[in-house]
């Protein structure tokens, strides 16, 4: 055989392999082609037709939104309007209920010099409630946590935060869990509610602070309503996700036994989805606590006030100590709700002897709690928290010293890291997305949506991009989009690595979960300060802040999905000789695909919710427009336009990822030789 013939056959084999690779991953290669074409066009057109407008420039649509805001404010200033009277009644009712709770536990009702019940009664009541719903082990966590609030110097603020959190979470769950059940069983309801949830979760809190302060005034009522809006979506989405992922074989088996829909829901679906629903409740608690700082801007009571005051006065230590109280409260509530979810099973295992012992302890504890409440009502020593030991002052001083050390010894090194990342990666990506002509970027995004998610994603992307174009904030939207995408990629990478480790090992879960709770619940401004010291005010700092805030929930969801893979499936894979890496990549991650996709979606939405806070440290983009509109009355319209634009970005990215995930699932099913299931998607929509 000649050398030429051999070379020809080798070339044909190589070409055949290339064709096979292309055929195996057609969408991946199509995406690569779009990106390459985009880069080529950008290299010739950079900086032209970007639709960039100045900070102090308002367009016609911004003026229209400005007039709408002013007209709304004038309308709600009229006491004769029926809607105004209803909202005023609701506001007064919320204020009255919360004021009554404060008079019981934190604020002295005139003419009494102290609240009705003081620290001793509150600690005893918390211990009794914890034992009743979660068991004695959690009492060992709750009692020291409550005492720590006082030792750190924030007893009153911590109890106020607990009251407003429980008040908001109870209402969120009463509305959210039934709505999540309805969404899981109805595609129509899911299609209607999902965009509303997108708006609630992606609209920056600073945007709706203004309308809620107009509607409900300044104080507890407005703070409660803002918290409700922000905290309700997680429990709805995650409850619906949990019910959708219940094994359909089990549901069909129970249906064949003649159970009604209500019996099937109560006896089968809810018990099987309980663990995931509890994750949703926990995330609602975390979201409500995360709003403590933001709500302080409209005079919301609680720990948000000392955080804001400390930051405004450059007292990092004061803000950090108040943030520690929020974290401790978050960990306490998280562990209590988690333990409560398995309390019934533990009671069954304990048997009759355990139940009798528990009743005796409850009776004795109730009597002791009544005595403690009486003492705290009658005596100053049991009502006013003692001033010593004082743990807050040394921690405050240590944190201030730590901040000084970061600034003097580490900021030079970390700044070089930030410069390298920004110059070599972030700037080129932002230039490609924002500095390309608007129609080039728009066309590229439409093609990417079509390739990833198909026709439905294309339509959703077109509608959202059209809305962004009409709102006259295209350039700033693309700047924000760049930062959000970079932060989300980092969040997903962290979530998969840590979530797999937590899902596979209970000890790892116990070690990492307090840090995740801290990252999710500590006011975003507090970790932002050391990051700001290390990296300076810029987009990189804003991205890191978004990652710190969004990674915890994404990691928890991935861990929940990995843990949900049945032990029988794991044992079957091990019996075939699969090693640890194959077990993770071939079994656990594919079977936890729904949770990973949900984690990606939630991580994306949480990153978007940090856009405004990121703008406070130099991120620019839409977040700066919102802050500018919040601070300058003449630019409220532009701030509202920026808020709506962020919502459109969130919906666009959500639809692309959701439809892309569904399409990938159908492709995988077809490759496996099975017909694709057309049931509800495991994603949010």
């Amino acid at each position: 055989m000649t050398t030429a013939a051999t070379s020809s056959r080798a070339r044909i084999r190589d070409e055949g392999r290339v064709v096979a690779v292309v055929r195996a991953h057609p969408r991946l290669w199509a995406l690569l082609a779009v990106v390459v074409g985009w880069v080529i066009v950008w290299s010739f057109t950079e900086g032209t037709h970007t639709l960039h407008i100045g900070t102090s420039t308002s367009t016609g649509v911004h003026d229209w939104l400005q007039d709408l805001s002013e007209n709304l404010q004038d309308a709600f200033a009229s006491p004769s309007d029926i809607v105004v009277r209803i909202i005023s009644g609701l506001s007064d009712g919320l204020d009255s209920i919360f004021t009554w709770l404060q008079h019981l536990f934190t604020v002295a009702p005139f003419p009494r010099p102290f609240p009705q019940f003081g620290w001793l009664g509150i600690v005893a009541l918390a211990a009794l409630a914890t034992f009743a719903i979660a068991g004695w082990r959690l009492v060992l966590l709750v009692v020291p946590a409550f005492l720590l609030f006082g030792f750190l110097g924030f007893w009153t603020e911590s109890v106020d935060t607990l009251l407003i959190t429980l008040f908001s979470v109870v209402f969120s769950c009463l509305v959210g869990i039934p709505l999540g059940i309805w969404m899981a069983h109805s595609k129509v309801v899911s299609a209607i509610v999902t965009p509303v949830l997108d708006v609630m979760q992606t609209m920056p809190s600073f945007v709706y602070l203004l309308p809620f302060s107009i509607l409900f005034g300044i104080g507890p009522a407005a703070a409660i309503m803002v918290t409700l809006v922000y905290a309700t979506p997680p429990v709805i989405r995650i409850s619906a996700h949990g019910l959708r992922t219940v094994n359909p074989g089990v549901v069909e088996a129970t249906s064949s036994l003649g159970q009604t829909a209500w019996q099937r829901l109560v006896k089968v679906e809810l018990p099987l989805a309980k663990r995931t629903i509890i994750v949703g409740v926990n995330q609602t608690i975390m979201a409500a606590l995360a709003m403590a700082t933001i709500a302080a801007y409209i005079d919301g009571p609680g720990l948000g006030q000392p955080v804001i005051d400390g930051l405004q006065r450059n007292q990092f230590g004061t803000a950090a100590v108040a943030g520690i109280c929020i974290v401790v409260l978050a960990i306490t509530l998280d562990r209590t709700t988690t333990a409560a979810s398995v309390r019934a099973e533990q009671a069954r295992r304990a048997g009759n002897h355990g139940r009798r012992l528990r009743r005796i302890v409850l009776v004795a504890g109730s009597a002791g709690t009544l005595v403690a409440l009486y003492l705290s009502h009658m005596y100053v020593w049991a009502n006013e928290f003692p001033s010593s030991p004082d743990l807050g002052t040394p921690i405050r001083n240590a944190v201030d010293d730590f901040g000084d050390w970061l600034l003097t010894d580490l900021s030079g090194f970390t700044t070089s890291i930030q410069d390298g990342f920004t110059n070599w990666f972030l700037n080129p990506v932002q230039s490609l997305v924002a500095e390309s002509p608007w129609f080039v970027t728009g066309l590229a995004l439409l093609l990417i949506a079509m390739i990833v998610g198909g026709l439905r994603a294309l339509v959703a992307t077109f509608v959202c991009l059209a809305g962004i174009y009409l709102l006259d904030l295209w350039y700033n939207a693309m700047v924000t989009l760049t930062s959000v995408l970079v932060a989300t990629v980092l969040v997903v990478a962290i979530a998969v690595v840590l979530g797999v480790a937590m899902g596979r090992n209970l000890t790892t879960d116990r070690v990492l979960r307090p840090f995740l709770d801290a990252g999710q619940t500590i006011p975003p401004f507090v970790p932002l300060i050391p990051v700001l010291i290390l990296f300076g005010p810029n987009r990189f700092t804003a991205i890191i802040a978004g990652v710190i805030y969004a990674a915890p929930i994404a990691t928890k969801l991935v861990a929940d999905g990995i843990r949900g893979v049945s032990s029988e499936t794991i044992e079957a894979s091990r019996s075939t000789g699969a090693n640890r890496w194959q077990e993770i990549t071939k079994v656990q991650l594919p079977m936890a695909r729904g949770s990973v996709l949900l984690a990606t979606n939630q991580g994306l939405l949480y990153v978007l919710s940090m856009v405004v806070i990121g703008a406070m440290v130099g991120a620019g983009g839409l977040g700066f427009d919102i802050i500018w509109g919040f601070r300058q009355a003449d630019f409220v319209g532009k701030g509202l336009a920026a808020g709506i634009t962020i919502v459109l970005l969130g919906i666009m990215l959500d639809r692309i990822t959701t439809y892309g995930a569904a399409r990938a699932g159908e492709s995988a099913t077809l490759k496996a030789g099975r017909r694709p299931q057309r049931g509800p998607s495991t994603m949010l929509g």
Side-chain angles (χ1 to χ4, degrees):
M1 183 178 295
T2 64
T3 304
T6 303
S7 301
S8 177
R9 291 186 178 183
R11 185 172 63 256
I12 292 173
R13 283 197 301 270
D14 292 340
E15 290 175 354
R17 289 170 185 165
V18 172
V19 171
V21 171
V22 173
R23 288 179 176 176
H25 306 282
R27 284 190 286 166
L28 182 61
W29 289 102
L31 283 175
L32 181 61
V34 170
V35 173
V36 170
W38 189 2
V39 171
I40 293 173
V41 175
W42 161 78
S43 65
F44 292 100
T45 60
E46 180 184 2
T48 61
H49 305 291
T50 61
L51 301 183
H52 183 272
I53 63 173
T55 302
S56 300
T57 302
S58 291
T59 65
V61 67
H62 304 159
D63 294 336
W64 180 80
L65 288 171
Q66 180 80 25
D67 294 338
L68 181 64
S69 173
E70 293 174 355
N71 293 336
L72 181 64
Q73 190 169 358
D74 292 340
F76 278 93
S78 173
S80 60
D81 191 286
I82 182 64
V83 177
V84 174
R85 290 202 299 270
I86 293 174
I87 293 178
S88 297
L90 176 60
S91 176
D92 293 340
L94 291 174
D95 278 331
S96 298
I97 294 173
F98 193 78
T99 300
W100 176 74
L101 290 173
Q102 284 186 307
H103 285 166
L104 283 180
F105 301 114
T106 60
V107 177
F110 183 80
R112 182 179 168 85
F114 297 101
Q116 297 291 347
F117 303 107
W119 70 271
L120 184 63
I122 294 173
V123 171
L125 189 62
L128 178 64
T130 301
F131 178 79
I133 66 175
W136 64 269
R137 290 184 179 86
L138 268 296
V139 175
L140 302 180
L141 170 66
V142 170
V143 171
F146 271 70
L147 295 177
L148 185 61
F149 298 147
F151 296 151
L152 291 175
F154 290 107
W155 171 260
T156 299
E157 294 85 353
S158 298
V159 175
D160 275 342
T161 300
L162 176 64
L163 292 176
I164 201 168
T165 299
L166 293 179
F167 193 89
S168 302
V169 169
V170 167
F171 275 95
S172 295
C173 292
L174 288 176
V175 174
I177 293 177
L179 189 54
I181 294 171
W182 198 6
M183 287 179 63
H185 291 88
S186 173
K187 291 183 179 181
V188 175
V189 174
S190 181
I192 294 173
V193 174
T194 298
V196 178
L197 297 180
D198 290 337
V199 174
M200 292 171 65
Q201 207 167 0
T202 58
M203 178 72 77
S205 52
F206 277 86
V207 175
Y208 52 74
L209 284 183
L210 179 60
F212 273 103
S213 62
I214 294 174
L215 296 176
F216 295 94
I218 300 296
I224 290 171
M225 293 305 299
V226 167
T227 304
L228 279 173
V229 170
Y230 187 73
T232 302
V235 72
I236 298 176
R237 292 180 185 272
I238 297 175
S239 296
H241 167 70
L243 288 165
R244 285 172 183 152
T245 54
V246 170
N247 190 331
V250 176
V251 176
E252 292 174 4
T254 57
S255 299
S256 65
L257 296 176
Q259 284 189 338
T260 64
W262 175 255
Q263 291 173 326
R264 185 167 61 251
L265 173 66
V266 174
K267 296 182 178 180
V268 179
E269 292 178 316
L270 286 177
L272 291 177
K274 181 174 67 174
R275 181 165 50 85
T276 302
I277 293 174
I278 291 298
V279 172
V281 174
N282 285 350
Q283 295 313 307
T284 290
I285 292 173
M286 301 304 165
L289 286 171
M291 282 299 298
T293 308
I294 305 299
Y297 281 99
I298 52 175
D299 203 24
L303 291 164
Q305 294 289 351
V307 171
I308 296 298
D309 292 342
L311 296 178
Q312 290 176 342
R313 298 172 184 174
N314 292 323
Q315 297 173 344
F316 180 30
T318 300
V321 173
I324 290 172
C325 290
I326 295 177
V327 172
V328 171
L329 181 57
I331 294 173
T332 302
L333 292 175
D334 174 78
R335 298 299 181 273
T336 302
T337 53
T338 302
S341 68
V342 298
R343 183 70 189 87
E345 178 63 26
Q346 292 175 343
R348 282 194 296 270
R349 293 177 181 176
N352 293 329
H353 175 71
R355 284 194 290 271
R356 284 196 299 269
L357 180 61
R358 184 169 181 271
R359 291 193 191 102
I360 293 172
V361 174
L362 281 174
V363 171
S366 299
T369 300
L370 290 175
V371 172
L373 288 170
Y374 172 78
L375 293 175
S376 69
H377 179 74
M378 298 298 297
Y379 297 97
V380 174
W381 66 267
N383 191 294
E384 188 176 21
F385 201 93
S387 57
S388 62
D390 178 14
L391 301 180
T393 299
I395 294 176
R396 187 179 302 114
N397 295 336
V399 171
D400 286 332
D401 293 340
F402 177 69
D404 294 336
W405 176 76
L406 290 178
L407 181 62
T408 56
D409 294 350
L410 282 183
S411 60
F413 172 71
T414 53
T415 300
S416 64
I417 296 176
Q418 176 268 319
D419 289 339
F421 180 85
T422 301
N423 293 331
W424 292 98
F425 180 74
L426 188 57
N427 283 346
V429 174
Q430 179 172 305
S431 180
L432 175 65
V433 177
E435 297 292 339
S436 295
W438 70 270
F439 45 85
V440 173
T441 299
L443 178 61
L445 292 176
L446 288 172
L447 291 174
I448 290 172
M450 181 66 185
I451 294 168
V452 172
L455 183 60
R456 292 179 297 174
L458 174 67
V459 173
T461 302
F462 178 81
V463 172
C464 292
L465 290 178
I468 294 171
Y469 175 82
L470 294 175
L471 287 167
D472 289 334
L473 289 173
W474 180 275
Y475 180 84
N476 286 354
M478 295 303 108
V479 171
T480 299
L481 177 62
T482 303
S483 298
V484 167
L485 291 177
V486 171
T488 302
V489 169
L490 295 175
V491 166
V492 173
I494 293 171
V496 170
V497 173
L498 297 184
V500 168
M502 291 172 63
R504 289 175 57 87
N505 188 289
L506 185 59
T507 301
T508 304
D509 184 277
R510 289 173 177 170
V511 171
L512 291 180
R513 192 166 289 270
F515 294 97
L516 299 179
D517 292 339
Q520 191 176 352
T521 58
I522 194 167
F525 296 97
V526 176
L528 197 60
I529 295 176
V531 176
L532 188 62
I533 293 173
L534 290 173
F535 300 106
N538 50 64
R539 291 164 294 162
F540 181 80
T541 299
I543 289 173
I544 296 299
V547 171
I548 292 173
Y549 186 60
I553 181 174
T555 302
K556 289 179 180 180
L557 290 170
V558 173
D560 179 68
I562 295 296
R563 198 177 299 112
V565 178
S566 67
S567 57
E568 292 83 1
T569 303
I570 301 298
E571 290 299 327
S573 69
R574 290 174 180 171
S575 66
T576 62
N579 57 34
R580 180 179 300 179
W581 175 253
Q582 292 171 328
E583 187 177 299
I584 293 171
T585 58
K586 302 294 185 182
V587 179
Q588 289 180 305
L589 282 176
M591 295 195 69
R593 170 178 160 271
S595 294
V596 174
L597 296 173
L598 182 63
T600 303
N601 191 282
Q602 288 294 286
L604 173 65
L605 296 179
Y606 272 67
V607 168
L608 274 171
S609 70
M610 285 290 291
V611 165
V612 176
I613 295 175
M616 293 181 176
V617 293
L622 295 171
F624 182 81
D625 292 324
I626 292 172
I627 295 174
W628 187 248
F630 188 74
R631 292 176 176 173
Q632 301 291 330
D634 293 337
F635 291 92
V636 170
K638 190 173 184 179
L640 290 174
I644 298 171
T645 302
I646 289 177
V647 172
L648 292 174
L649 281 177
I651 293 174
M652 179 184 75
L653 295 173
D654 172 75
R655 296 303 179 270
I656 292 174
T657 54
T658 300
Y659 294 138
R663 196 177 182 190
E666 292 177 1
S667 299
T669 304
L670 290 172
K671 287 180 180 179
R674 300 185 300 270
R675 293 184 62 186
Q677 299 292 325
R678 292 293 182 177
S681 168
T682 57
M683 272 302 285
L684 307 179

